[in-house]
Each structure stands twice: as structure tokens, then as C-alpha cells.
Amino acid sequence: MPEPIIFYDIPGKDESRKAWGPNTWKTRYCLNYKGLPYRTVWVEYPDIEAVLRNIGALPTTTKADGSPLYTLPAIYDPNTKIALAESFEIARYLDKTYPDTPRLIPEGTDALHVAFTHAFREVLFNDLRQITVPASADVLRPRSEAYFRATREPVFGGDLRQITPAGSAKRAEHWKGVKNALATFAQWIAADGTGKLYFLGDRPGYADFTFAAFFTWVRVVLGEDSVEWKDVLTDNGGSEWPDRWGKYFESLAKYENVDIGEEATL
């Protein structure tokens, strides 16, 4: 049995909503699906760069001023002494390093997965983020919340609380865009005409965990009792399959384990 992989995630302020972010949920789903032992280290937003520099993970992109930007998810594998960030690269690494576990990216489909990720974000993200980014600030601990608001509000052009308040016409408009995206995704899955549940057919993979991660974000930051989450669960995706997405998420619930973990130390 390999030593536990160290998985770096951003904590929410409540135990019931401690794992909340879509990008880190992609990696958590992947680790749980593969059944690999891991433990979570919870990292507040202002500490991400220092923690990742310390383990030797590279930045994933650059800031507007050209300086490196360090992001989560990230892992450190004590079995190979490798540290890396970015969910797709982590998935590829896990497939290569642990070939006896269920595969996330079927052989020869890396390019297709890159294309899927791009198309998925184009279809969904602009509408979804108008609702979920403001709500994300409210589930964070004080230090992370302050950082999150300071870095997101310039992008959104003002107070996050005023972007899409509950009951507003703007929120309804963006949620309609999310519903249209769900219909598009259902069409993608149904393209072969066989009634398969997942993007990858009979079993889930990285594409499915990408989709699931973004809607787990909806469930966690808006709440299981929110109008939006209930709408997702009862949506048929524009198909003849009643509660298509409800069945989809029910089937993935076994891969949603969140360990207690430990706090990052600098």
C-alpha cells in the first residue's frame, strides 16, 4: 500500500461545507475514485503561494503583472517525491503512476479531454460564475474571504453581494443560461443514442468529475435546500429521462468523501 498522497485544498468555514471549490473537487473526486490513500492539508488563500513553493510545485499561470500565480489543487506524492498543481495534470499523473487503479483519462483521449474542458467552460462558466462566485465568499474563513473579495471584486466590477442577489432578474437570467448548459451537456452524453449515464459511457472519468465538481460547487455554496440545487436535481437535461441529473449525482456520491485533514503550516 503506498503512503498517503498529500492533497492541498482551500477550507470553508463550516465542517459541512469545508470542501467547496470546483477545481479542488475535481482532484478529490479523482483520488476517491481511484481509491488511493490521501490526506488533505487545508490552505487559506493568502498562504497558497508559500505552501506550494515550499513543496516545490510550479505556478499554473501568471498574474496580470506577469508574476507567477500559484493555485490549488495541488498534490505532493511521498512515494515519488513529486509535487504538482492543476487538476488535469494531476489526473494524468495519477493514471501514469498508479496504472492498477481505475483510469481517469482513457488512453489516447488526452487531446479530447483538453477540448472537452475548453468547451465545457465556454458553455457553462460565464453564467454559473455570476451566481456561485459571490456565494463562495460567504462560505470562506475570514482571512480567505478578505483575500477572495479583494481579488474578485475588481474583476466583477464591484461588491460581490450586489452581482446577482437572490430574487433578482439578473440572477434569473444567468440561471437560465445554466439550465441551457445542462441541456447541452445532456445532448453530449446522449450523442451515441445508447442511454449511457456518463460522458465516458458506462463508467465515470475525468470529464465526469469535471462536470460533477462544478455542480458540487453549486450544492455546497448555495446549499442543498437552494432553489438552484433543487432545480438541478429535478432537471431532465432536455431529454426524456426524468431527473437525469439527480440520478447522475446520486451515482457519484460514493466518491465524495472528505477527510478531516490538517491545517497547513508555514
Side-chain angles (χ1 to χ4, degrees), residues 96-113:
K96 180 180 179 180
T97 308
Y98 300 99
D100 295 332
T101 61
R103 196 168 178 92
L104 297 163
I105 302 169
E107 188 172 355
T109 67
D110 291 57
L112 290 176
H113 274 77

Side-chain angles (χ1 to χ4, degrees), residues 19 25 28-29 32-33 38 212-213 216 219 224 229 248-259:
W25 259 110
R28 188 176 294 279
Y29 270 121
N32 286 333
Y33 179 64
Y38 72 93
T216 297
R219 186 190 77 209
E224 292 190 6
W229 180 243
Y248 185 95
F249 289 109
E250 182 181 5
S251 75
L252 296 181
K254 57 182 171 287
Y255 307 123
E256 294 177 356
N257 179 64
V258 180
D259 59 318

Side-chain angles (χ1 to χ4, degrees), residues 34 89-101 103:
K34 282 183 168 290
E89 292 305 318
I90 292 171
R92 295 178 70 192
Y93 167 82
L94 294 175
D95 275 344
K96 180 180 179 180
T97 308
Y98 300 99
D100 295 332
T101 61
R103 196 168 178 92

Side-chain angles (χ1 to χ4, degrees), residues 39-87:
R39 61 184 174 89
T40 303
V41 172
W42 301 102
V43 187
E44 297 265 14
Y45 265 109
D47 302 329
I48 291 174
E49 179 171 343
V51 168
L52 294 198
R53 282 182 180 274
N54 186 52
I55 66 171
L58 297 175
T60 53
T61 185
T62 57
K63 301 175 185 176
D65 63 5
S67 61
L69 178 63
Y70 292 82
T71 63
L72 296 183
I75 64 167
Y76 175 76
D77 188 346
N79 304 288
T80 60
K81 306 298 188 288
I82 287 176
L84 72 162
E86 203 279 316
S87 56

